[in-house]
């Protein structure tokens, strides 16, 4: 009996310990929120949300913290990456799920995994030595631009878009495809009239997650967008993003400037949370629920 | 068969093939370009000597040590927490309010950009807890970033262990914890290890979060409280400050090879794992 009791106590201690360990993820999220908000709040409170968001000048050394140039910069590179990356990614996913021969799938999938694994700083380096001179040659300007950033981000979000869309396409019940083919539709008609609409929620999830990745990327963007916090007039202008500004300035920022970088972090965090929650909402919609 | 739909299909399939080829050629282009420029500079001496003049001269030995140090410490920390959490989620609870909160937190962690992790690590670990710019600060930050992957892959591995294993062990009189340690975890081990190797790759490649927490000292890190500069950060410094392009290419080559190695090991493990499951 005594041994049994001892055993029970041991079991409940282990249970409690494991529960605590499982809660570390929750504690981590809370700590991140608390510390980023605590550091960024003073600037937010001092200048007000409206003034920060509408300010067109980011000159932290003169205590002018307008976030508009950074928001526009992040918006442009993210948009650029989506415009280039989404069609290519979805096409690649359809190819993988529907028409690629077995040997091609075996070749492409590891390639995409490798593309996903390459460190962002290596992409940034590649952008710096290849894309920047290329953009300079083709479109003029200095080469360091929001367009260059968009191109490298497009390549970087491809793996996310391809693998999630491909899973969504493969999850469409076989009956859909067979019914469509039996009705005399061609394979391509079946793909774009039946399979893609049925996999729509999964594909949208893929795009949203890709968007989150592009918006949150730092190193690649820092190395090739030029880090010039001015409201860009064209895609060929250099610009600065929310992430890039934090990365570029944290090392020498002090006092209010450092706090302002945390304020930038708050905006980034809130944007990402909104984007990812909408991805989760789309992901929960089941295939075929239209 | 009508003519138009057939033609449309031909065109569409052509475009799809083209897009797959374009995607692969990006990869081939990036890898070949960097390896072609970088590999000739990767010599034994480059790997084993210390940098001089901020990295303009010499090798990258301390940065390799820093990367290994950071990766090992962060993966061990994250493995203990992640596998523990996965055991709790799969073996000890059914779907409840608590698990929903934990899952939501994990999903949130997975989406947070690395620069935010960096800001957090800088404010909380480096400044508030006064751990300073150190391997420890960096590894704790990294381990939080790796947590979602490790929890998810471990959970899947644990779920794939047939219930008959647990029932068999419990029926023999083993208690729950013994069953988990002696029966369930060994059976799930290949899947768990696959997840760990996967996060190894992520840890090697991470830059932004590490930048804000490890500092950037070029000395060889000995103590866990030492500041250091991993390879990724060194590559950034070399390239962004224009210190030495050949050394940047060489460092990028080593990073690519490391990631490729990790991916290959993951694939091999996964193949073995799925074969075992089928058997």
């Amino acid at each position: 009996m005594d041994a049994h009791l001892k055993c029970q106590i041991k079991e409940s201690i282990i249970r409690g310990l494991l529960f605590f360990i499982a809660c570390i993820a929750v504690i981590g999220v809370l700590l991140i929120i608390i510390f980023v908000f605590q550091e960024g709040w003073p600037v937010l409170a001092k200048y007000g949300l409206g003034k920060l968001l509408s300010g067109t000048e980011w000159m932290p050394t003169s205590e002018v913290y307008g976030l508009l140039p950074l928001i526009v910069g992040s918006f442009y590179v993210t948009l650029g990456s989506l415009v280039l990356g989404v069609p290519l990614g979805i096409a690649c996913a359809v190819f993988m799920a529907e028409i690629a021969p077995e040997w091609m799938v075996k070749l492409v999938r590891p390639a995409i995994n490798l593309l996903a694994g390459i460190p962002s700083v290596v992409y940034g380096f590649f952008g710096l030595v290849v894309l920047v001179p290329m953009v300079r040659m083709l479109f003029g300007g200095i080469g360091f631009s929001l367009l260059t950033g968009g191109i490298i981000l497009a390549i970087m979000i491809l793996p996310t878009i391809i693998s999630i869309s491909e899973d969504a396409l493969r999850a469409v019940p076989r009956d859909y495809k067979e019914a469509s083919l039996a009705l005399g539709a061609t394979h391509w008609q079946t793909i774009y009239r039946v399979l893609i609409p049925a996999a729509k929620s999964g594909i949208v999830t893929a795009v949203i997650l890709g968007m989150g990745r592009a918006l949150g990327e730092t190193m690649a963007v820092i190395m090739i967008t030029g880090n010039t916090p001015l409201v860009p007039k064209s895609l060929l202008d250099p610009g600065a993003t929310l992430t890039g500004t934090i990365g570029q300035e944290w090392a020498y920022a002090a006092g209010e400037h450092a706090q302002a970088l945390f304020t930038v972090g708050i905006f980034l965090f809130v944007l990402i949370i909104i984007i990812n929650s909408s991805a989760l909402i789309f992901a929960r919609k089941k295939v075929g629920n239209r | 068969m009508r003519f138009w739909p057939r033609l449309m299909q031909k065109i569409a399939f052509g475009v799809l093939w083209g897009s797959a080829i374009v995607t692969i050629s990006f990869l081939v282009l990036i890898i070949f370009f960097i390896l072609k420029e970088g590999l000739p500079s990767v010599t034994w001496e480059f790997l084993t000597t210390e940098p001089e003049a901020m990295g303009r001269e010499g090798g990258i030995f301390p940065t390799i040590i820093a990367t290994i140090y950071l990766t090992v410490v962060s993966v061990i920390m994250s493995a203990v927490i992640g596998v523990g959490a996965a055991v709790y989620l799969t073996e000890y609870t059914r779907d409840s309010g608590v698990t929903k909160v934990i899952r939501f937190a994990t999903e949130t962690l997975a989406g947070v950009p690395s620069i935010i992790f960096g800001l957090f690590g800088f404010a909380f670990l480096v400044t508030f807890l006064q751990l300073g710019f150190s391997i420890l600060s960096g590894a704790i930050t990294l381990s939080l970033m790796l947590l979602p992957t490790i929890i998810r892959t471990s959970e899947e591995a644990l779920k794939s262990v047939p219930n008959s294993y647990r029932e068999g062990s419990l029926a023999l009189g083993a208690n729950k914890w013994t069953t988990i340690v002696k029966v369930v975890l060994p059976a799930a081990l290949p899947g768990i290890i696959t997840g760990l190797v996967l996060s190894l790759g992520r840890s090697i490649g991470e830059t932004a979060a590490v930048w804000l927490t490890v500092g950037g000292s070029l000395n060889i890190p000995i103590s866990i409280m030492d500041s250091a500069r991993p390879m990724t950060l060194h590559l950034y410094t070399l390239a962004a400050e224009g210190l030495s392009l050949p050394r940047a290419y060489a460092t990028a080559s080593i990073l690519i090879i490391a990631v490729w190695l990790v991916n290959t090991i993951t694939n091999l493990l996964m193949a073995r794992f799925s074969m075992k499951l089928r058997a």
Side-chain angles (χ1 to χ4, degrees):
Chain A
M1 193 59 203
D2 198 15
H4 185 67
L5 191 71
K6 230 168 135 184
C7 191
Q8 266 190 340
I9 291 171
K10 189 182 148 205
E11 284 286 317
S12 43
I13 289 174
I14 288 168
R15 197 195 158 93
L17 205 65
L18 285 174
F19 173 70
F20 172 72
I21 286 178
C23 285
I24 288 180
V26 183
I27 299 169
V29 171
L30 289 178
L31 282 175
I32 291 173
I33 294 175
I34 291 168
F35 274 85
V36 173
F37 276 72
Q38 179 186 302
E39 294 288 315
W41 188 256
V43 169
L44 196 60
K46 186 173 168 190
Y47 295 93
L49 187 63
K51 207 174 157 198
L52 285 175
L53 284 179
S54 60
T56 54
E57 284 186 325
W58 173 264
M59 292 192 300
T61 41
S62 326
E63 297 187 357
V64 179
Y65 309 107
L67 292 177
L68 201 63
L70 316 183
I71 293 172
V72 174
S74 278
F75 176 75
Y76 273 165
V77 290
T78 307
L79 188 72
S81 73
L82 292 178
V83 168
L84 299 169
V86 168
L88 189 60
I90 294 177
C92 215
V94 172
F95 174 82
M96 295 282 285
E98 283 298 313
I99 65 173
E102 186 71 11
W103 63 268
M104 194 73 180
V105 174
K106 277 195 181 136
L107 191 78
V108 180
R109 182 154 308 137
I112 291 170
N113 285 342
L114 191 55
L115 212 51
I118 293 179
S120 57
V121 64
V122 173
Y123 280 106
F125 179 59
F126 176 78
L128 184 72
V129 289
V130 175
L131 286 179
V132 168
M134 209 154 86
V135 168
R136 188 187 303 145
M137 210 173 69
L138 291 175
F139 303 105
I142 57 168
F144 291 93
S145 70
L146 295 171
L147 177 71
T148 326
I151 296 173
I152 204 76
L153 285 178
I155 302 177
M156 293 178 73
I157 64 173
L158 274 178
T160 311
I161 295 181
I162 294 172
S163 54
I164 298 173
S165 306
E166 191 195 339
D167 286 346
L169 285 163
R170 283 188 193 274
V172 176
R174 269 188 79 89
D175 328 8
Y176 286 36
K177 187 176 168 185
E178 281 163 6
S180 167
L181 291 173
L183 286 170
T186 62
H187 192 182
W188 169 241
Q189 284 171 328
T190 305
I191 289 173
Y192 86 96
R193 290 272 174 82
V194 179
L195 296 181
I196 293 181
K200 199 172 67 188
S201 67
I203 295 175
V204 173
T205 308
V207 172
I208 297 176
L209 287 177
M211 187 162 111
R213 174 142 194 229
L215 184 65
E217 175 46 46
T218 310
M219 297 317 290
V221 167
I222 244 183
M223 291 168 87
I224 54 185
T225 54
N227 303 308
T228 315
L230 298 171
V231 178
K233 293 186 184 66
S234 90
L235 273 177
L236 286 172
D237 281 349
T241 63
L242 295 165
T243 52
T245 304
I246 300 174
Q248 187 69 20
E249 297 177 6
W250 76 273
Y252 65 86
E256 200 174 67
H257 182 190
Q259 291 177 332
L261 294 180
F262 278 88
T263 317
V264 175
I266 295 179
F267 277 100
L268 189 62
F269 191 78
V270 171
L271 275 177
I272 293 277
I273 294 290
I274 293 172
I275 288 173
N276 286 349
S277 327
S278 49
L280 284 180
I281 291 166
F282 272 102
R284 293 225 171 92
K285 283 191 188 166
K286 279 212 175 122
V287 168
N289 261 355
R290 270 166 290 156
Chain B
M1 200 68 169
R2 284 154 305 156
F3 174 70
W4 272 113
R6 298 276 290 190
L7 183 69
M8 281 299 291
Q9 169 152 326
K10 276 231 162 73
I11 296 171
F13 280 17
V15 171
L16 294 179
W17 269 93
S19 56
I21 291 167
V22 167
T23 303
I24 298 195
S25 42
F26 278 138
L27 179 77
V28 173
L29 184 73
I30 293 173
I31 290 183
F32 272 80
F33 186 79
I34 288 176
L35 291 188
K36 185 182 88 84
E37 300 283 325
L39 275 187
S41 319
V42 181
T43 57
W44 182 248
E45 202 195 331
F46 181 70
L47 295 176
T48 54
T49 56
E50 295 195 31
E52 281 155 40
M54 303 296 292
R56 279 187 199 91
E57 308 283 329
I60 57 164
F61 182 64
T63 70
I64 296 176
I65 299 297
T67 295
I68 295 172
Y69 206 157
L70 266 174
T71 304
V72 169
V73 176
S74 64
V75 170
I76 289 175
M77 283 200 283
S78 203
V80 172
I81 300 169
V83 176
V87 167
Y88 182 78
L89 287 172
T90 53
E91 307 293 320
Y92 282 89
T93 54
R94 301 241 166 270
D95 277 337
S96 65
V98 184
T99 51
K100 270 197 192 123
V101 172
I102 294 172
R103 264 175 234 284
F104 180 72
T106 319
E107 277 162 3
T108 309
L109 274 186
V112 173
S114 59
I115 191 85
I116 301 276
F117 277 102
L119 280 178
F120 156 73
F122 178 60
F124 178 61
L125 302 167
V126 176
T127 314
F128 182 75
L129 293 185
Q130 299 194 334
L131 298 176
F133 291 114
S134 61
I135 297 271
L136 185 62
S137 299
I140 294 175
T141 311
L142 271 176
S143 66
L144 267 184
M145 298 179 71
L146 304 178
L147 210 47
T149 315
I150 294 184
I151 292 181
R152 192 163 5 93
T153 48
S154 306
E155 255 193 285
E156 269 161 32
L158 288 166
K159 275 183 192 155
S160 72
V161 176
N163 250 330
S164 54
Y165 284 34
R166 296 182 182 88
E167 284 155 9
S169 166
L170 291 172
L172 286 170
N175 53 36
K176 189 160 190 154
W177 180 239
T178 316
T179 304
I180 291 171
V181 174
K182 293 258 167 83
V183 179
V184 181
L185 278 178
L189 200 62
I192 293 174
I193 289 179
T194 311
L196 296 185
V197 176
L198 211 64
S199 38
L200 213 69
R202 180 140 185 235
S203 189
I204 294 171
E206 180 49 47
T207 318
V210 166
W211 192 13
L212 274 72
T213 49
V214 184
S217 155
L218 266 174
N219 294 327
I220 301 171
I222 308 289
S223 144
I224 203 163
M225 300 310 289
D226 284 350
S227 168
R229 185 191 294 184
M231 283 191 283
T232 46
L233 192 52
H234 190 55
L235 167 59
Y236 169 74
T237 317
L238 288 178
E241 293 176 13
L243 294 174
S244 167
L245 221 46
R247 282 174 180 74
Y249 276 113
T251 312
S253 302
I254 298 168
L255 281 170
I256 285 181
I257 292 169
V259 169
W260 173 79
L261 262 178
V262 165
N263 269 26
T264 312
I265 296 171
T266 316
N267 289 342
L268 286 176
L269 282 172
M270 282 220 262
R272 272 189 72 178
F273 185 36
S274 54
M275 235 155 57
K276 230 181 177 177
L277 271 185
R278 247 179 273 140

